[in-house]
Amino acid sequence: MAPQSALAAPTTPTVPDDATRQCARWLHLNGRIERLQDRWAKLEAWLAREHGWLTLSPAEQQALPWSRELHDIDGCLDLLFEQREALLDSLPTRSANLPSVVARLAVVERLIWSHDQPEAYALITGCLQDLKALSPQA
């Protein structure tokens, strides 16, 4: 059996630190928000196309059975926005390890809108991909 290289990376998995777990939670909440926003947009577009939603009075909108789903989505989104913002405020600005840096950068990637800041977004996504490639644990 050949001797193991002195430069070989350790193979023991690391336990995610608190910052990494917080970032994962933020990304999970953000994903839920994006899915709900997508559902809301599709439902509203369907209502506009099939029922003239945008031309209806608030009372007429309320009379449609699908208005309840829009209302429920709005309520869920309000709560998720609050949770996501509170979690973002609690994220550390420094990291103790590479997986935590990768996790924080993944949050930053979701905070930057690619169409508003294409150069910054490209730099962030490139750095994130590079760090993931350099870190077997990230």
Side-chain angles (χ1 to χ4, degrees):
M1 181 181 239
Q4 189 176 27
S5 168
L7 298 177
T11 58
T12 56
T14 59
V15 176
D17 64 2
D18 191 47
T20 304
R21 284 189 298 274
Q22 285 179 297
C23 289
R25 176 77 179 136
W26 189 94
L27 290 166
H28 174 77
L29 287 172
N30 192 67
R32 288 181 63 196
I33 288 169
E34 289 175 350
R35 287 186 298 277
L36 283 171
Q37 288 174 324
D38 185 56
R39 173 64 185 148
W40 196 95
K42 287 177 180 175
L43 181 56
E44 184 185 48
W46 179 81
L47 285 167
R49 186 177 60 253
E50 299 296 322
H51 297 281
W53 179 259
L54 301 175
T55 61
L56 299 176
S57 70
E60 291 170 323
Q61 288 178 345
Q62 289 292 343
L64 291 175
W66 303 279
S67 68
R68 183 73 202 157
E69 184 177 355
L70 287 177
H71 178 73
D72 290 347
I73 291 172
D74 283 339
C76 287
L77 284 172
D78 288 343
L79 177 63
L80 291 171
F81 285 142
E82 289 175 17
Q83 291 174 352
R84 184 181 66 175
E85 187 64 30
L87 195 52
L88 183 62
D89 289 343
S90 73
L91 291 179
T93 57
R94 305 283 307 198
S95 293
N97 55 54
L98 191 54
S100 181
V101 172
V102 171
R104 287 186 312 121
L105 196 53
V107 169
V108 173
E109 178 187 31
R110 302 308 301 158
L111 290 170
I112 301 291
W113 289 29
S114 61
H115 59 277
D116 286 346
Q117 300 289 330
E119 297 87 1
Y121 187 79
L123 283 171
I124 291 166
T125 57
C127 287
L128 184 57
Q129 291 169 358
D130 292 345
L131 287 171
K132 286 179 179 179
L134 291 171
S135 174
Q137 300 156 346

